Amino acid sequence: MIKIALFCNAGMSTSMLVSKMRKAAEESGQDIAIDAYPEAQLTKQLDGLDVVLLGPQIKFALGKIKAICEPKGIPVDVINTADYGMMNGKKVLNQALKLIGK
C-alpha cells in the first residue's frame, strides 16, 4: 500500500481534494491511502508515509518540511496551484506517484 499525506494550514480545504484523489486511486485499481492534515501535525504523521504534498498556501514552508522529510526518505512537493484550485484529484495523485517513481 502507498501512503500519501497532504498538509495545509488547517487540513480542511485539502480534505476535499483527498476525496477526489481517493476516487481516482480507486478507479485505477491502486491500493493507496490518502489523508489530509494541518501542517502543525507533520512530525506526528510521518510514520509509514511514502510521499508528502503541500497545499499551495503553505509553499513557503517547503524548505523546512523537506529538511524534516527527506532524511527519512519521504519526498515532498507543493501541489500545482491550478490542480489544487480545480480539485483535480487525478492530476494531484499522479504528481504524488511520480515523486515515488510509480
Side-chain angles (χ1 to χ4, degrees):
M1 172 180 286
I2 297 169
K3 290 188 175 185
I4 301 170
L6 281 63
F7 291 90
C8 67
N9 279 332
M12 298 295 185
S13 58
T14 311
S15 61
M16 289 188 302
L17 181 57
V18 165
S19 295
K20 295 193 180 235
M21 290 173 71
R22 286 177 179 159
K23 184 178 180 191
E26 188 179 313
E27 288 172 355
S28 68
Q30 298 180 74
D31 189 16
I32 302 174
I34 309 163
D35 291 294
Y37 305 99
E39 178 199 0
Q41 287 190 14
L42 178 83
T43 56
K44 296 176 185 170
Q45 302 298 334
L46 291 179
D47 287 346
L49 289 182
D50 294 297
V51 63
V52 165
L53 292 177
L54 307 180
Q57 68 273 35
I58 63 164
K59 67 181 172 185
F60 65 87
L62 180 62
K64 175 183 87 170
I65 292 172
K66 277 189 170 192
I68 294 168
C69 294
E70 289 183 346
K72 298 177 180 291
I74 304 168
V76 181
D77 200 3
V78 177
I79 299 167
N80 175 285
T81 304
D83 294 337
Y84 188 89
M86 298 293 289
M87 293 284 149
N88 191 328
K90 185 174 182 177
K91 278 193 173 180
V92 177
L93 177 62
N94 287 337
Q95 178 184 3
L97 294 175
K98 281 182 186 174
L99 285 170
I100 57 174
K102 299 280 182 185

